[in-house]
Amino acid sequence: MSARRTALLACAALLTGLLPLTAAGAAAGADEPAPVPVDTFEGEVPFANPPAEGLFPWGGDADDPPRLALTARDDAPQGAKVLTGGYDISGYGGFTHDFAFDRPARDWSAHKGIRFWWEGRDNGKRISFEIKDGGANGEASELWTTSFTDDFTGWKQIEIPFTDFTYRTDYQPVGGIDQVLGLTGMWGYALTLPTGVKGDFAMDGVELYGKGAQSLRASVVTDAAVHTVKEGAAADVRISVATTGSVPIDEPVTVAYETAGGTAEAGTDYTRVAGELTFPAGTASGTSRTVRVPTLKDRSAESAETVPLKLTVTGARAPAENPQVVIDAHGLPYLDAKLPVKKRVADLVSRLSLEEKAGQMTQAERGALGTPGDIAAYDLGSLLSGGGSTPTPNVPEAWSRMIDAFQLRARATRFQIPLIYGVDAVHGHNNLFGATVMPHNIGIGATRDPRLAERTGEVTAAEVRATGVPWDFAPCLCVTRDERWGRSYESFGEDPALVKSMETVIQGLQGARDGRDLKDDDRVLATAKHYVGDGGTGYGSSATGSYTIDQGVTKVTRQELEAVHLAPFKTAVDRGVGTVMPSYSSLDIIGDDAGPVKMHADAEMINGVLKDRMGFDGFVISDWAAIDQIPGDYASDVRTSVNAGLDMIMVPYEYKNFRTTLVDEVKAGRISERRVDDAVSRILAQKFRLGLFEKPYADTSGASKIGSSAHRAVARQAAAESQVLLKNAGGVLPLKKSQKVYVAGSNADDLGNQTGGWTITWQGASGKITDGTTVLQGMRKAAPGARIDYSKDTSAPTEGYDVGVVVVGETPYAEGVGDVGNGNDLELTAADKAAVDKVCGAMKCVVLTVSGRPQLIGDRLGDIDALVASWLPGTEGDGVADVLYGKRAFTGQLPVTWPKSEAQLPINVGDASYDPQFPYGWGLTTLTKVPGGGSAALRTLALVAAKAERLGADEAGRAAVTKARLLVQQRIGTRLTPATAKPFADADHLLLTGRYKEAVARLTTAYKSA
């Protein structure tokens, strides 16, 4: 998914109107409390990150966080210093003052509001101001927001009554702690600065002011915005009074109620109710009353009908929206689970309006909803969490409650079509803190273990579905052909045959190929992405920002397109994959003179090849805002993509505009109703197969298994099998538990670096970002009592050790942000090189590269005794320790060619010229006796392989080729040449395609050339 995804969205789309700007020094009433300072910016609050108290900047990209400083100013409104900052924000950015997590929250309930001095620039930009209320701490609190406009010059004091703050609907803990601005547990404030303009700001004197009256402190709330009932039952709507500070109300609060409007008919569908509730003075905060709305049975099949309950409140703030009772749809054929899916779909599609169909084709980012009511208002078919878009706190219960709240909103639509919620669980439920995080696909490809790939999919599906999410935007079936690509680690490898062999993960996610398991509580709908050719984009062809290769152009012959890039998708379709996501990239087929065509606009490839020729019967989902990259205006983007075969469009922020535009295009005849019906039918079919109509809410029975020891055991095995031993001079590996080990390097004790991008947030981050075990921790657990000392920068003395282990490599990135040339290369950092040089110059050494792609070792290889490609092994560093200490054998093989230099790229198995550092398929082993016998043994293995191939005995054929490979690897040793590397790599491709006889023949050629 694209670089625009993020956990927090720019608030500009969600802000309310202008705030009044109150003149400085307005006289306070005689009975008002004195102002209480929050920040004077004289240095009393440090620049520090949570959990400590402090001011800190944040932003969507590396250059978005503003630069903060405390600056002495003669014109400071208060004191001698002010807070200043500069910014140039393309995505979103701002700053926060969080109070210390280990101290009590602050009580602001006695005051009317908050005010501060702001130096105006008169740029006409709106600035969001938020306060953090309730919850465990400042990063797990409810956010309440408002804004002011910078349309003045010079210092002005801005006063914001607490009543002006509105509940933020996009980024809340557990869908909101209580959605009441309590003010007794305040954790700080935050400002979101303008985007699209380079500027600076100055701020001073944040303080609480005025006295909070009851009319400002008391609110009336309801238990839910939507109350569903079966026809003939009664709905009970609970109405409560709540106060800031949870103190009793000191004046009466009245709530007049009446059923009014809606689609249900009074007297036929329900009994009209009206009346008044009174909460007398002295009523405790939290006290509730119940209004019962009876419904009536009319014995006819019907769609859902709504009964709004209008509330008129005196003496307190009214709810943000009136609650409504929904009489469930009943008796209609599409609701009959015993009918075939095809009949249910046909019945439901026949009932939908064009607007409802367009809503089903619309997917929005959960954080971009203007209000939860938009789900019903726009008949939305789907929501997603982009990378890092999570509830707070980021725990399973919060996910399930959040998604259930969204599903409840969908119940207020005519036909109560459930949402299908999607996430990028690309290596486990990687957005969720504490989930089991698998190695990235590049490591899974290194295992060469299809059954293990399937098991990783099973664990991922179980953990994802247990949080209420039925849809996973995985697996990525790209065939990576250039390791400069920032998505390289999302691929199983450079060989389409290897990618195809790992597609067992689809069955791990979905279960049976016919979709009969999708309704189970441990299965999810899978997505084959990114169709087609995203792994073949040419270096320098990208037109997206500073990207160099991602989202670029794949220029291929039709033969190469079929053999390399399309082949994995044909396998996925045969395996019953439920959805397919096109690539951002463009396809330029040599010889057809069409030039580059954006995949989201490529009707030949989507309608023609995927749907017609391959017979794909699932639905096609666009990538994040990807139709915006199609040339033309927005209407053109919509009709081009839908006519090309896209069924659901991921329009994170533009869901309203997209739905309206789609309807207009159909009415104008530029998109046929038949195309819309086909798209909606495909979407609904998967919703029916998932069982969402019968069970729209989360089944959390499997939540206790999230991050469990059983699930982590699978990830641990995957981490162990993904390790590729490239060199092992003198048998330095496996390590002995009696050895004194010196551990160094940037990635030895960093869980974030070890898990890589797409972990907790889109880009990932260094440090302890989730639960897991680092490589260093795994080593210490594997050899308890042994002397294992760690010096990240090798500043500790190196004398007295038997062996050194240096763990180096990359820091996290995702997509084009990680492209080589976009601030990245394949070289080790200067610090990592220094660590390797120092340790390997002092003792026998093992070097592990923790990375998403090969790292250039260059002339250091001769000084390294053992070299391991550790890839991005996930949260289970124990798996890496297992092979280092010999609990498991090294069995991994290179899923991509390891180059000698960046100048060689792209370099892949099958190239006419092939001179790598290590060839595709290379991987030494430990704890395994390597066959002897030389040429005679290879002749025997050739006969065995030929017979196995003739009889279809795949297991025997693979075993014969593996023995031959180990024999030849031992013969080659460190004497790799083009004459040995090319046939060696070719043999692994032949093995994966079932040509065992040819594979042994190519290995024999390599043996003779060594």
Side-chain angles (χ1 to χ4, degrees), residues 920-991:
Y920 170 78
W922 185 265
L924 306 176
T925 189
T926 53
L927 311 181
T928 301
K929 185 177 180 180
V930 177
S935 296
L938 286 173
R939 286 193 293 272
T940 300
L941 290 169
L943 295 173
V944 173
K947 183 178 181 180
E949 186 175 335
R950 189 169 63 253
L951 298 176
D954 291 333
E955 188 174 342
R958 287 192 295 266
V961 176
T962 297
K963 288 180 180 179
R965 178 179 66 83
L966 294 176
L967 188 158
V968 172
Q969 274 186 159
Q970 187 174 65
R971 164 85 167 191
I972 294 173
T974 59
R975 302 186 306 279
L976 274 163
T977 64
T980 56
K982 181 172 174 53
F984 185 93
D986 292 343
D988 201 57
H989 170 73
L990 293 165
L991 164 66

Side-chain angles (χ1 to χ4, degrees), residues 47-92:
F47 293 110
N49 288 311
E53 176 164 6
L55 292 154
F56 61 93
W58 39 264
D61 293 321
D63 58 349
D64 282 350
R67 301 170 299 282
L68 303 180
L70 296 178
T71 304
R73 291 268 295 262
D74 292 339
D75 63 343
Q78 295 181 5
K81 295 179 180 178
V82 300
L83 178 68
T84 61
Y87 58 88
D88 186 5
I89 303 168
S90 58
Y92 68 92

Side-chain angles (χ1 to χ4, degrees), residues 226-257:
V226 176
H227 296 75
T228 61
V229 292
K230 296 186 181 300
E231 186 187 48
D236 289 328
V237 181
R238 193 167 72 248
I239 299 171
S240 306
V241 63
T243 63
T244 57
S246 298
V247 298
I249 58 176
D250 51 24
E251 297 174 10
V253 173
T254 60
V255 182
Y257 61 87

Side-chain angles (χ1 to χ4, degrees), residues 107 140 203 313 336 364 397 402 413 460 483 545 630 645 662 682 729 768 788 825 845 856 889 945 991 996:
D107 186 345
M203 181 182 186
V313 178
D336 186 353
E397 179 192 17
M402 174 185 72
T413 58
T460 299
E483 279 62 59
I630 299 173
L662 176 55
R682 290 169 176 268
K768 190 184 184 309
I788 300 176
D825 55 40
C845 74
L856 300 176
L991 164 66
Y996 309 124

Side-chain angles (χ1 to χ4, degrees), residues 342-371:
K342 190 172 183 180
K343 287 189 176 181
R344 298 179 75 182
V345 168
D347 177 68
L348 181 50
V349 171
S350 72
R351 300 176 186 278
L352 298 176
S353 69
L354 174 58
E355 288 75 14
E356 287 167 326
K357 292 173 185 177
Q360 284 301 300
M361 296 173 66
T362 307
Q363 184 185 61
E365 155 64 37
R366 45 78 72 181
L369 285 177
T371 170

